[in-house]
Amino acid sequence: MADTRLAISLRLLPLLLTAALALLPVAVSAETETEALYRTHCAACHGEDRLGGLGPALLPGNLSRLKPAAAEAVIRDGRAASQMPGFAAQLEDDQIASLAEWIYREPEVEPRWGQDEILASQVVHHPDGTLPDAPRFDADPLNLFIVVETGDHHATLLDGDTFTPIRRFATRYALHGGPKYTPDGRHVFFGSRDGWITKYDIYNMEVVAEVRAGINMRNIAVSADGRYVMAANYLPHSLVLFDAHNLDLMKVYPAVGENGQSSRVSAVYAAPPRGSFIAALKDIEEVWEIPWPLPTEPVVSTGHMATPLAPRRSHDTPNFRVRRIPVPDYLDDFFFDLDYQHVIGASRGGEGGMVVDLDSGEKVADLPLEGMPHLGSGITWEYQGRRVMATPHLTRAAVSIIDMTSWEVIKTLETDGPGFFMRSHANSPYVWADVFFGPNRDRVHVIDKQSLEIVETLIPEPGRTAAHVEFDRYGEKLLLSLWEDDGAVIVYDAETLEEEKRIPMSKPSGKYNVWNKTRYEEGTSH
Ligand code: DHE
């Protein structure tokens, strides 16, 4: 019986081999043809290894915000207001489709971005101290805004008194998150999703230094004294520390937990009262605190939230060493109370939150916040003698308001759809909350901080997304984005809620006022 089976198998062998050989060249050539197409048409700008160059990185993590059909359209038609040409004349439809499919595949070898690559990427255009120290424009340097325009990857420097643009300049592709200022407001650091950090001298309106910290970066933080910059990466799993003067690399921290498992880093923030950076890890249940050196001279008190004269140190971890704080759940999106005693984090499942004491590492409260609270957009204010915080939800038409002493949700406001950003100012009676998702994304709610009710819903332009607000330094005027390619920032009077001016811009996303950001104003993002 066994002999018979063997004989049949041997007779079938040539047939099977022929069939396999017939299939093999097709599979191999399909792969190599796509790779060859990439090498011929794409690699010069996007890099041989898809890590980016003149154009952005083309790896699945970096493309997570672009749908494959949209990627095909970009390859076919190009991207307006960028250097990406259309390839409709050179490539057949199936070639475009195969390229678009291929760039969403993980590379066979995980790309590397370590110390050598970071060092090699650094470009210092104007070494620190070589440019003049006085602003080359006539405007209050502390009431400037930077507006990030994601439509064509530019930023605009805006006078916060007259609301006239001072300078519009090209940025790296796909900036994300808030740019961070030095405490004197002279320099600003931008972070791009592809990992580039750009230091820009506002007074001289020049890019002074750049470095690439990673391949897929989350955000950056700047120490309260403006001397250090920390970058948080998804790829590679790392935090990277730089000297802010010329963006010189100081240290790469592989994001590896106590248990040896490595993790993406959700984000990193500066905690001025603690004198440290705080980072949350997405895949391990730890928060990291990394102290920077204490100032040798007193730090000047900076206004409302007032950075203390010298940061209090509640622990004795040496400078730039990691203090691991074990937490009971993975922290993704998070927020802090004003003195940075507690971190308020949304857990990875998006069905709730928790409050952790950063000194003891103890969880002090659970927050019943289903519907993906977007705690990173949280803001705080005084309400009936106590401090409250409010957060929008990414998948629920609601704003939750939480008492920051009892950690109870004291109000859930129903909104016209899930929102992304909230903003206020200590001098304003109102909170502004956008409706970023769904059919009502053209609406913005204005919430009274004392009645905790929506008192006005504005529709600046029907059918067009209105989102993200930032106040001027006095809390008297504010900017709202008409978040479209042919969009605008709209100037409102913060008291009367009347529109005063529109400044055309290309998909303006975040707007950042120098005073509010450097003073850690309670109504703005940190
Ligand atoms: Fe953001 C800030 C994470 C999607 C626009 N976003 C941040 C920050 C984090 C974050 C951690 C804080 C960084 C900082 O300022 O230091 N964002 C995430 C996500 O995890 C999420 C949901 C998915 C992702 O793709 O990363 C996400 N973000 C978006 C967008 O789709 C937005 C709307 C458009 C875009 O440009 O990508 C967007 N995020 C922003 C903006 C800020 C931001 C404008 C700064 C807000 C501020 O006022 O400071």
Side-chain angles (χ1 to χ4, degrees), residues 64-65 150 175-178 180 193 218-220 266-267 269 394 420-421 423 436 468 483 509-510 512 517 525-526:
S64 62
R65 307 206 34 73
T150 52
L175 296 187
H176 178 231
K180 304 290 156 72
R193 285 193 184 265
R218 296 301 290 163
N219 79 328
I220 53 172
S266 300
Y269 292 95
L394 297 175
F420 214 100
F421 302 108
R423 270 296 205 276
F436 200 81
H468 194 281
W483 194 294
S509 58
Y512 310 90
K517 293 284 284 183
S525 63
H526 294 174

PDB file of all heavy atoms in Angstrom, residues 64-65 150 175-178 180 193 218-220 266-267 269 394 420-421 423 436 468 483 509-510 512 517 525-526, ligand 1:
ATOM      1  N   SER A  64      -0.569  55.877   8.167  1.00  0.00           N
ATOM      2  CA  SER A  64      -1.815  55.451   8.812  1.00  0.00           C
ATOM      3  C   SER A  64      -2.938  56.469   8.622  1.00  0.00           C
ATOM      4  O   SER A  64      -4.096  56.159   8.754  1.00  0.00           O
ATOM      5  CB  SER A  64      -1.584  55.195  10.297  1.00  0.00           C
ATOM      6  OG  SER A  64      -1.173  56.404  10.899  1.00  0.00           O
ATOM      7  N   ARG A  65      -2.596  57.712   8.318  1.00  0.00           N
ATOM      8  CA  ARG A  65      -3.637  58.720   8.168  1.00  0.00           C
ATOM      9  C   ARG A  65      -4.065  58.917   6.706  1.00  0.00           C
ATOM     10  O   ARG A  65      -4.837  59.805   6.388  1.00  0.00           O
ATOM     11  CB  ARG A  65      -3.167  60.050   8.750  1.00  0.00           C
ATOM     12  CG  ARG A  65      -2.675  59.896  10.185  1.00  0.00           C
ATOM     13  CD  ARG A  65      -2.786  61.128  10.980  1.00  0.00           C
ATOM     14  NE  ARG A  65      -3.922  61.929  10.628  1.00  0.00           N
ATOM     15  CZ  ARG A  65      -5.184  61.643  10.926  1.00  0.00           C
ATOM     16  NH1 ARG A  65      -5.473  60.535  11.569  1.00  0.00           N
ATOM     17  NH2 ARG A  65      -6.149  62.450  10.568  1.00  0.00           N
ATOM     18  N   THR A 150      -1.601  72.726   7.417  1.00  0.00           N
ATOM     19  CA  THR A 150      -1.260  71.372   6.964  1.00  0.00           C
ATOM     20  C   THR A 150      -1.627  71.139   5.497  1.00  0.00           C
ATOM     21  O   THR A 150      -1.205  70.154   4.914  1.00  0.00           O
ATOM     22  CB  THR A 150      -1.969  70.304   7.832  1.00  0.00           C
ATOM     23  OG1 THR A 150      -3.351  70.605   7.882  1.00  0.00           O
ATOM     24  CG2 THR A 150      -1.417  70.272   9.245  1.00  0.00           C
ATOM     25  N   LEU A 175       3.485  68.283   9.841  1.00  0.00           N
ATOM     26  CA  LEU A 175       3.722  68.613  11.255  1.00  0.00           C
ATOM     27  C   LEU A 175       2.555  68.079  12.054  1.00  0.00           C
ATOM     28  O   LEU A 175       1.424  68.038  11.568  1.00  0.00           O
ATOM     29  CB  LEU A 175       3.798  70.130  11.447  1.00  0.00           C
ATOM     30  CG  LEU A 175       4.928  70.882  10.781  1.00  0.00           C
ATOM     31  CD1 LEU A 175       4.924  72.336  11.243  1.00  0.00           C
ATOM     32  CD2 LEU A 175       6.280  70.249  11.051  1.00  0.00           C
ATOM     33  N   HIS A 176       2.818  67.695  13.276  1.00  0.00           N
ATOM     34  CA  HIS A 176       1.728  67.210  14.134  1.00  0.00           C
ATOM     35  C   HIS A 176       2.008  67.619  15.572  1.00  0.00           C
ATOM     36  O   HIS A 176       3.140  67.602  16.022  1.00  0.00           O
ATOM     37  CB  HIS A 176       1.581  65.694  14.027  1.00  0.00           C
ATOM     38  CG  HIS A 176       0.512  65.152  14.920  1.00  0.00           C
ATOM     39  ND1 HIS A 176       0.717  64.115  15.787  1.00  0.00           N
ATOM     40  CD2 HIS A 176      -0.765  65.530  15.101  1.00  0.00           C
ATOM     41  CE1 HIS A 176      -0.393  63.868  16.449  1.00  0.00           C
ATOM     42  NE2 HIS A 176      -1.310  64.726  16.050  1.00  0.00           N
ATOM     43  N   GLY A 177       0.940  67.972  16.288  1.00  0.00           N
ATOM     44  CA  GLY A 177       1.092  68.368  17.679  1.00  0.00           C
ATOM     45  C   GLY A 177       1.519  69.819  17.771  1.00  0.00           C
ATOM     46  O   GLY A 177       1.804  70.469  16.770  1.00  0.00           O
ATOM     47  N   GLY A 178       1.526  70.302  18.984  1.00  0.00           N
ATOM     48  CA  GLY A 178       1.848  71.709  19.172  1.00  0.00           C
ATOM     49  C   GLY A 178       3.326  71.979  19.020  1.00  0.00           C
ATOM     50  O   GLY A 178       4.137  71.264  19.599  1.00  0.00           O
ATOM     51  N   LYS A 180       6.607  73.875  20.160  1.00  0.00           N
ATOM     52  CA  LYS A 180       6.960  74.246  21.538  1.00  0.00           C
ATOM     53  C   LYS A 180       7.951  75.412  21.510  1.00  0.00           C
ATOM     54  O   LYS A 180       8.920  75.384  20.760  1.00  0.00           O
ATOM     55  CB  LYS A 180       7.586  73.038  22.257  1.00  0.00           C
ATOM     56  CG  LYS A 180       6.693  71.786  22.246  1.00  0.00           C
ATOM     57  CD  LYS A 180       5.471  71.935  23.137  1.00  0.00           C
ATOM     58  CE  LYS A 180       4.303  71.055  22.756  1.00  0.00           C
ATOM     59  NZ  LYS A 180       4.417  69.657  23.000  1.00  0.00           N
ATOM     60  N   ARG A 193       5.468  64.257  11.724  1.00  0.00           N
ATOM     61  CA  ARG A 193       5.161  62.836  11.920  1.00  0.00           C
ATOM     62  C   ARG A 193       6.320  61.950  11.467  1.00  0.00           C
ATOM     63  O   ARG A 193       6.496  60.847  11.976  1.00  0.00           O
ATOM     64  CB  ARG A 193       3.882  62.467  11.157  1.00  0.00           C
ATOM     65  CG  ARG A 193       2.616  62.985  11.839  1.00  0.00           C
ATOM     66  CD  ARG A 193       1.384  62.347  11.261  1.00  0.00           C
ATOM     67  NE  ARG A 193       0.162  62.869  11.822  1.00  0.00           N
ATOM     68  CZ  ARG A 193      -0.513  62.325  12.837  1.00  0.00           C
ATOM     69  NH1 ARG A 193      -0.068  61.236  13.417  1.00  0.00           N
ATOM     70  NH2 ARG A 193      -1.629  62.869  13.257  1.00  0.00           N
ATOM     71  N   ARG A 218       5.864  60.902  17.641  1.00  0.00           N
ATOM     72  CA  ARG A 218       4.598  61.342  18.226  1.00  0.00           C
ATOM     73  C   ARG A 218       4.588  62.825  18.510  1.00  0.00           C
ATOM     74  O   ARG A 218       3.711  63.546  18.103  1.00  0.00           O
ATOM     75  CB  ARG A 218       4.346  60.585  19.533  1.00  0.00           C
ATOM     76  CG  ARG A 218       4.170  59.126  19.373  1.00  0.00           C
ATOM     77  CD  ARG A 218       3.026  58.822  18.475  1.00  0.00           C
ATOM     78  NE  ARG A 218       1.759  59.149  19.111  1.00  0.00           N
ATOM     79  CZ  ARG A 218       0.615  59.290  18.467  1.00  0.00           C
ATOM     80  NH1 ARG A 218       0.573  59.193  17.168  1.00  0.00           N
ATOM     81  NH2 ARG A 218      -0.471  59.562  19.112  1.00  0.00           N
ATOM     82  N   ASN A 219       5.564  63.277  19.292  1.00  0.00           N
ATOM     83  CA  ASN A 219       5.580  64.699  19.639  1.00  0.00           C
ATOM     84  C   ASN A 219       6.921  65.057  20.270  1.00  0.00           C
ATOM     85  O   ASN A 219       7.792  64.196  20.433  1.00  0.00           O
ATOM     86  CB  ASN A 219       4.412  65.040  20.576  1.00  0.00           C
ATOM     87  CG  ASN A 219       4.672  64.642  22.013  1.00  0.00           C
ATOM     88  OD1 ASN A 219       5.360  63.649  22.265  1.00  0.00           O
ATOM     89  ND2 ASN A 219       4.131  65.394  22.947  1.00  0.00           N
ATOM     90  N   ILE A 220       7.049  66.340  20.589  1.00  0.00           N
ATOM     91  CA  ILE A 220       8.272  66.799  21.254  1.00  0.00           C
ATOM     92  C   ILE A 220       7.887  67.626  22.483  1.00  0.00           C
ATOM     93  O   ILE A 220       6.774  68.136  22.568  1.00  0.00           O
ATOM     94  CB  ILE A 220       9.147  67.669  20.321  1.00  0.00           C
ATOM     95  CG1 ILE A 220       8.339  68.824  19.714  1.00  0.00           C
ATOM     96  CG2 ILE A 220       9.792  66.829  19.241  1.00  0.00           C
ATOM     97  CD1 ILE A 220       9.183  69.830  18.949  1.00  0.00           C
ATOM     98  N   SER A 266       3.782  56.900  23.742  1.00  0.00           N
ATOM     99  CA  SER A 266       2.551  57.625  23.392  1.00  0.00           C
ATOM    100  C   SER A 266       2.821  59.108  23.185  1.00  0.00           C
ATOM    101  O   SER A 266       2.376  59.707  22.211  1.00  0.00           O
ATOM    102  CB  SER A 266       1.500  57.495  24.482  1.00  0.00           C
ATOM    103  OG  SER A 266       1.159  56.156  24.683  1.00  0.00           O
ATOM    104  N   ALA A 267       3.513  59.710  24.106  1.00  0.00           N
ATOM    105  CA  ALA A 267       3.829  61.143  24.019  1.00  0.00           C
ATOM    106  C   ALA A 267       4.717  61.517  25.186  1.00  0.00           C
ATOM    107  O   ALA A 267       4.820  60.781  26.173  1.00  0.00           O
ATOM    108  CB  ALA A 267       2.542  61.984  24.074  1.00  0.00           C
ATOM    109  N   TYR A 269       5.780  65.052  27.663  1.00  0.00           N
ATOM    110  CA  TYR A 269       5.467  66.438  28.006  1.00  0.00           C
ATOM    111  C   TYR A 269       6.490  66.953  29.004  1.00  0.00           C
ATOM    112  O   TYR A 269       7.098  66.172  29.744  1.00  0.00           O
ATOM    113  CB  TYR A 269       4.072  66.542  28.636  1.00  0.00           C
ATOM    114  CG  TYR A 269       2.967  66.230  27.653  1.00  0.00           C
ATOM    115  CD1 TYR A 269       2.430  64.941  27.570  1.00  0.00           C
ATOM    116  CD2 TYR A 269       2.485  67.205  26.800  1.00  0.00           C
ATOM    117  CE1 TYR A 269       1.430  64.645  26.653  1.00  0.00           C
ATOM    118  CE2 TYR A 269       1.484  66.913  25.873  1.00  0.00           C
ATOM    119  CZ  TYR A 269       0.971  65.644  25.805  1.00  0.00           C
ATOM    120  OH  TYR A 269      -0.013  65.362  24.887  1.00  0.00           O
ATOM    121  N   LEU A 394     -13.703  61.446  21.468  1.00  0.00           N
ATOM    122  CA  LEU A 394     -13.485  61.234  20.028  1.00  0.00           C
ATOM    123  C   LEU A 394     -14.583  60.394  19.390  1.00  0.00           C
ATOM    124  O   LEU A 394     -14.752  60.414  18.172  1.00  0.00           O
ATOM    125  CB  LEU A 394     -12.128  60.550  19.787  1.00  0.00           C
ATOM    126  CG  LEU A 394     -10.891  61.344  20.210  1.00  0.00           C
ATOM    127  CD1 LEU A 394      -9.619  60.515  20.035  1.00  0.00           C
ATOM    128  CD2 LEU A 394     -10.775  62.636  19.419  1.00  0.00           C
ATOM    129  N   PHE A 420     -12.754  67.251  18.973  1.00  0.00           N
ATOM    130  CA  PHE A 420     -11.317  66.973  19.033  1.00  0.00           C
ATOM    131  C   PHE A 420     -10.592  67.927  19.992  1.00  0.00           C
ATOM    132  O   PHE A 420      -9.748  67.515  20.756  1.00  0.00           O
ATOM    133  CB  PHE A 420     -10.713  67.102  17.634  1.00  0.00           C
ATOM    134  CG  PHE A 420      -9.591  66.157  17.367  1.00  0.00           C
ATOM    135  CD1 PHE A 420      -9.787  65.001  16.647  1.00  0.00           C
ATOM    136  CD2 PHE A 420      -8.316  66.418  17.854  1.00  0.00           C
ATOM    137  CE1 PHE A 420      -8.740  64.124  16.413  1.00  0.00           C
ATOM    138  CE2 PHE A 420      -7.274  65.541  17.625  1.00  0.00           C
ATOM    139  CZ  PHE A 420      -7.485  64.395  16.900  1.00  0.00           C
ATOM    140  N   PHE A 421     -10.942  69.237  19.898  1.00  0.00           N
ATOM    141  CA  PHE A 421     -10.165  70.221  20.657  1.00  0.00           C
ATOM    142  C   PHE A 421     -11.070  71.085  21.533  1.00  0.00           C
ATOM    143  O   PHE A 421     -12.221  71.341  21.178  1.00  0.00           O
ATOM    144  CB  PHE A 421      -9.412  71.150  19.703  1.00  0.00           C
ATOM    145  CG  PHE A 421      -8.482  70.443  18.766  1.00  0.00           C
ATOM    146  CD1 PHE A 421      -8.786  70.336  17.413  1.00  0.00           C
ATOM    147  CD2 PHE A 421      -7.301  69.885  19.222  1.00  0.00           C
ATOM    148  CE1 PHE A 421      -7.927  69.684  16.538  1.00  0.00           C
ATOM    149  CE2 PHE A 421      -6.437  69.233  18.351  1.00  0.00           C
ATOM    150  CZ  PHE A 421      -6.755  69.125  17.007  1.00  0.00           C
ATOM    151  N   ARG A 423     -10.712  74.835  24.049  1.00  0.00           N
ATOM    152  CA  ARG A 423      -9.817  75.928  24.437  1.00  0.00           C
ATOM    153  C   ARG A 423     -10.564  76.961  25.252  1.00  0.00           C
ATOM    154  O   ARG A 423     -11.757  77.184  25.069  1.00  0.00           O
ATOM    155  CB  ARG A 423      -9.298  76.664  23.202  1.00  0.00           C
ATOM    156  CG  ARG A 423      -8.033  76.153  22.588  1.00  0.00           C
ATOM    157  CD  ARG A 423      -6.837  76.280  23.519  1.00  0.00           C
ATOM    158  NE  ARG A 423      -5.610  76.337  22.756  1.00  0.00           N
ATOM    159  CZ  ARG A 423      -4.950  75.268  22.307  1.00  0.00           C
ATOM    160  NH1 ARG A 423      -5.391  74.061  22.550  1.00  0.00           N
ATOM    161  NH2 ARG A 423      -3.844  75.419  21.609  1.00  0.00           N
ATOM    162  N   PHE A 436     -15.788  67.913  15.703  1.00  0.00           N
ATOM    163  CA  PHE A 436     -14.840  67.612  14.616  1.00  0.00           C
ATOM    164  C   PHE A 436     -15.351  66.530  13.685  1.00  0.00           C
ATOM    165  O   PHE A 436     -14.987  66.472  12.516  1.00  0.00           O
ATOM    166  CB  PHE A 436     -13.518  67.180  15.245  1.00  0.00           C
ATOM    167  CG  PHE A 436     -12.338  67.289  14.332  1.00  0.00           C
ATOM    168  CD1 PHE A 436     -11.718  68.516  14.147  1.00  0.00           C
ATOM    169  CD2 PHE A 436     -11.830  66.185  13.673  1.00  0.00           C
ATOM    170  CE1 PHE A 436     -10.617  68.634  13.319  1.00  0.00           C
ATOM    171  CE2 PHE A 436     -10.737  66.293  12.840  1.00  0.00           C
ATOM    172  CZ  PHE A 436     -10.125  67.523  12.663  1.00  0.00           C
ATOM    173  N   HIS A 468     -10.562  73.874  16.366  1.00  0.00           N
ATOM    174  CA  HIS A 468      -9.364  74.330  17.086  1.00  0.00           C
ATOM    175  C   HIS A 468      -9.318  75.849  17.248  1.00  0.00           C
ATOM    176  O   HIS A 468      -9.250  76.603  16.284  1.00  0.00           O
ATOM    177  CB  HIS A 468      -8.081  73.845  16.415  1.00  0.00           C
ATOM    178  CG  HIS A 468      -6.863  74.004  17.290  1.00  0.00           C
ATOM    179  ND1 HIS A 468      -6.220  75.208  17.448  1.00  0.00           N
ATOM    180  CD2 HIS A 468      -6.182  73.128  18.061  1.00  0.00           C
ATOM    181  CE1 HIS A 468      -5.208  75.059  18.276  1.00  0.00           C
ATOM    182  NE2 HIS A 468      -5.158  73.812  18.657  1.00  0.00           N
ATOM    183  N   TRP A 483     -11.056  74.576   8.671  1.00  0.00           N
ATOM    184  CA  TRP A 483     -10.080  73.492   8.474  1.00  0.00           C
ATOM    185  C   TRP A 483     -10.258  72.876   7.085  1.00  0.00           C
ATOM    186  O   TRP A 483     -10.699  71.751   6.945  1.00  0.00           O
ATOM    187  CB  TRP A 483     -10.316  72.472   9.587  1.00  0.00           C
ATOM    188  CG  TRP A 483      -9.286  71.443   9.837  1.00  0.00           C
ATOM    189  CD1 TRP A 483      -8.906  70.437   8.998  1.00  0.00           C
ATOM    190  CD2 TRP A 483      -8.523  71.256  11.030  1.00  0.00           C
ATOM    191  NE1 TRP A 483      -7.966  69.647   9.593  1.00  0.00           N
ATOM    192  CE2 TRP A 483      -7.711  70.119  10.840  1.00  0.00           C
ATOM    193  CE3 TRP A 483      -8.451  71.936  12.255  1.00  0.00           C
ATOM    194  CZ2 TRP A 483      -6.843  69.652  11.822  1.00  0.00           C
ATOM    195  CZ3 TRP A 483      -7.584  71.455  13.225  1.00  0.00           C
ATOM    196  CH2 TRP A 483      -6.787  70.336  13.005  1.00  0.00           C
ATOM    197  N   SER A 509      -4.432  74.123  10.887  1.00  0.00           N
ATOM    198  CA  SER A 509      -4.807  73.195  11.965  1.00  0.00           C
ATOM    199  C   SER A 509      -4.618  73.924  13.291  1.00  0.00           C
ATOM    200  O   SER A 509      -5.435  74.761  13.648  1.00  0.00           O
ATOM    201  CB  SER A 509      -4.040  71.883  11.864  1.00  0.00           C
ATOM    202  OG  SER A 509      -2.651  72.116  11.914  1.00  0.00           O
ATOM    203  N   GLY A 510      -3.513  73.659  14.008  1.00  0.00           N
ATOM    204  CA  GLY A 510      -3.345  74.281  15.314  1.00  0.00           C
ATOM    205  C   GLY A 510      -2.811  75.700  15.219  1.00  0.00           C
ATOM    206  O   GLY A 510      -2.128  76.078  14.256  1.00  0.00           O
ATOM    207  N   TYR A 512      -0.996  78.683  17.915  1.00  0.00           N
ATOM    208  CA  TYR A 512      -0.302  78.643  19.204  1.00  0.00           C
ATOM    209  C   TYR A 512       0.197  80.029  19.551  1.00  0.00           C
ATOM    210  O   TYR A 512       1.029  80.588  18.827  1.00  0.00           O
ATOM    211  CB  TYR A 512       0.851  77.629  19.133  1.00  0.00           C
ATOM    212  CG  TYR A 512       0.381  76.298  18.581  1.00  0.00           C
ATOM    213  CD1 TYR A 512       0.411  76.046  17.206  1.00  0.00           C
ATOM    214  CD2 TYR A 512      -0.178  75.343  19.415  1.00  0.00           C
ATOM    215  CE1 TYR A 512      -0.086  74.851  16.684  1.00  0.00           C
ATOM    216  CE2 TYR A 512      -0.672  74.154  18.902  1.00  0.00           C
ATOM    217  CZ  TYR A 512      -0.621  73.909  17.545  1.00  0.00           C
ATOM    218  OH  TYR A 512      -1.112  72.732  17.038  1.00  0.00           O
ATOM    219  N   LYS A 517       1.306  79.780  25.553  1.00  0.00           N
ATOM    220  CA  LYS A 517       2.063  78.521  25.614  1.00  0.00           C
ATOM    221  C   LYS A 517       3.234  78.625  26.588  1.00  0.00           C
ATOM    222  O   LYS A 517       3.508  77.674  27.317  1.00  0.00           O
ATOM    223  CB  LYS A 517       2.594  78.150  24.215  1.00  0.00           C
ATOM    224  CG  LYS A 517       1.511  77.798  23.210  1.00  0.00           C
ATOM    225  CD  LYS A 517       0.931  76.407  23.429  1.00  0.00           C
ATOM    226  CE  LYS A 517       1.882  75.351  22.926  1.00  0.00           C
ATOM    227  NZ  LYS A 517       1.279  74.006  23.065  1.00  0.00           N
ATOM    228  N   SER A 525      -3.295  74.288  25.429  1.00  0.00           N
ATOM    229  CA  SER A 525      -2.605  72.987  25.529  1.00  0.00           C
ATOM    230  C   SER A 525      -1.168  73.215  25.976  1.00  0.00           C
ATOM    231  O   SER A 525      -0.614  74.278  25.745  1.00  0.00           O
ATOM    232  CB  SER A 525      -2.593  72.320  24.159  1.00  0.00           C
ATOM    233  OG  SER A 525      -1.860  73.129  23.260  1.00  0.00           O
ATOM    234  N   HIS A 526      -0.593  72.217  26.595  1.00  0.00           N
ATOM    235  CA  HIS A 526       0.771  72.383  27.110  1.00  0.00           C
ATOM    236  C   HIS A 526       1.802  71.637  26.298  1.00  0.00           C
ATOM    237  O   HIS A 526       1.533  70.743  25.595  1.00  0.00           O
ATOM    238  CB  HIS A 526       0.827  71.924  28.567  1.00  0.00           C
ATOM    239  CG  HIS A 526       0.002  72.803  29.466  1.00  0.00           C
ATOM    240  ND1 HIS A 526      -0.208  72.538  30.769  1.00  0.00           N
ATOM    241  CD2 HIS A 526      -0.696  73.947  29.193  1.00  0.00           C
ATOM    242  CE1 HIS A 526      -0.978  73.475  31.307  1.00  0.00           C
ATOM    243  NE2 HIS A 526      -1.289  74.322  30.368  1.00  0.00           N
TER     244      HIS A 526
HETATM  245 FE1  DHE B   1      -3.143  64.841  17.186  1.00  0.00          FE
HETATM  246  C1  DHE B   1      -1.792  67.121  19.347  1.00  0.00           C
HETATM  247  C2  DHE B   1      -2.030  62.336  19.234  1.00  0.00           C
HETATM  248  C3  DHE B   1      -4.736  62.570  15.243  1.00  0.00           C
HETATM  249  C4  DHE B   1      -4.054  67.321  15.063  1.00  0.00           C
HETATM  250  N1  DHE B   1      -2.141  64.754  18.970  1.00  0.00           N
HETATM  251  C5  DHE B   1      -1.596  65.815  19.639  1.00  0.00           C
HETATM  252  C6  DHE B   1      -0.799  65.343  20.728  1.00  0.00           C
HETATM  253  C7  DHE B   1      -0.854  63.978  20.696  1.00  0.00           C
HETATM  254  C8  DHE B   1      -1.706  63.612  19.591  1.00  0.00           C
HETATM  255  C9  DHE B   1      -0.160  63.014  21.647  1.00  0.00           C
HETATM  256  C10 DHE B   1      -0.061  66.210  21.723  1.00  0.00           C
HETATM  257  C11 DHE B   1       1.236  66.586  21.105  1.00  0.00           C
HETATM  258  C12 DHE B   1       1.823  67.849  21.647  1.00  0.00           C
HETATM  259  O1  DHE B   1       1.268  68.916  21.413  1.00  0.00           O
HETATM  260  O2  DHE B   1       2.871  67.789  22.276  1.00  0.00           O
HETATM  261  N2  DHE B   1      -3.403  62.799  17.251  1.00  0.00           N
HETATM  262  C13 DHE B   1      -2.906  62.003  18.200  1.00  0.00           C
HETATM  263  C14 DHE B   1      -3.371  60.660  17.990  1.00  0.00           C
HETATM  264  O3  DHE B   1      -3.062  59.646  18.673  1.00  0.00           O
HETATM  265  C15 DHE B   1      -4.328  60.676  16.859  1.00  0.00           C
HETATM  266  C16 DHE B   1      -5.747  60.454  17.401  1.00  0.00           C
HETATM  267  C17 DHE B   1      -4.056  59.592  15.818  1.00  0.00           C
HETATM  268  C18 DHE B   1      -2.786  59.815  15.048  1.00  0.00           C
HETATM  269  O4  DHE B   1      -2.833  59.684  13.847  1.00  0.00           O
HETATM  270  O5  DHE B   1      -1.751  60.146  15.615  1.00  0.00           O
HETATM  271  C19 DHE B   1      -4.161  62.105  16.389  1.00  0.00           C
HETATM  272  N3  DHE B   1      -4.195  64.925  15.444  1.00  0.00           N
HETATM  273  C20 DHE B   1      -4.746  63.887  14.812  1.00  0.00           C
HETATM  274  C21 DHE B   1      -5.409  64.313  13.607  1.00  0.00           C
HETATM  275  O6  DHE B   1      -6.010  63.565  12.781  1.00  0.00           O
HETATM  276  C22 DHE B   1      -5.347  65.776  13.525  1.00  0.00           C
HETATM  277  C23 DHE B   1      -6.745  66.336  13.706  1.00  0.00           C
HETATM  278  C24 DHE B   1      -4.800  66.300  12.200  1.00  0.00           C
HETATM  279  C25 DHE B   1      -3.310  66.111  11.980  1.00  0.00           C
HETATM  280  O7  DHE B   1      -2.660  67.132  11.771  1.00  0.00           O
HETATM  281  O8  DHE B   1      -2.829  64.984  12.043  1.00  0.00           O
HETATM  282  C26 DHE B   1      -4.461  66.074  14.745  1.00  0.00           C
HETATM  283  N4  DHE B   1      -2.982  66.840  17.209  1.00  0.00           N
HETATM  284  C27 DHE B   1      -3.428  67.685  16.236  1.00  0.00           C
HETATM  285  C28 DHE B   1      -3.157  69.062  16.639  1.00  0.00           C
HETATM  286  C29 DHE B   1      -2.523  68.997  17.882  1.00  0.00           C
HETATM  287  C30 DHE B   1      -2.418  67.587  18.204  1.00  0.00           C
HETATM  288  C31 DHE B   1      -3.529  70.321  15.842  1.00  0.00           C
HETATM  289  C32 DHE B   1      -2.061  70.158  18.755  1.00  0.00           C
HETATM  290  C33 DHE B   1      -3.228  70.614  19.551  1.00  0.00           C
HETATM  291  C34 DHE B   1      -2.894  71.740  20.482  1.00  0.00           C
HETATM  292  O9  DHE B   1      -3.710  72.636  20.585  1.00  0.00           O
HETATM  293  O10 DHE B   1      -1.842  71.718  21.131  1.00  0.00           O
END
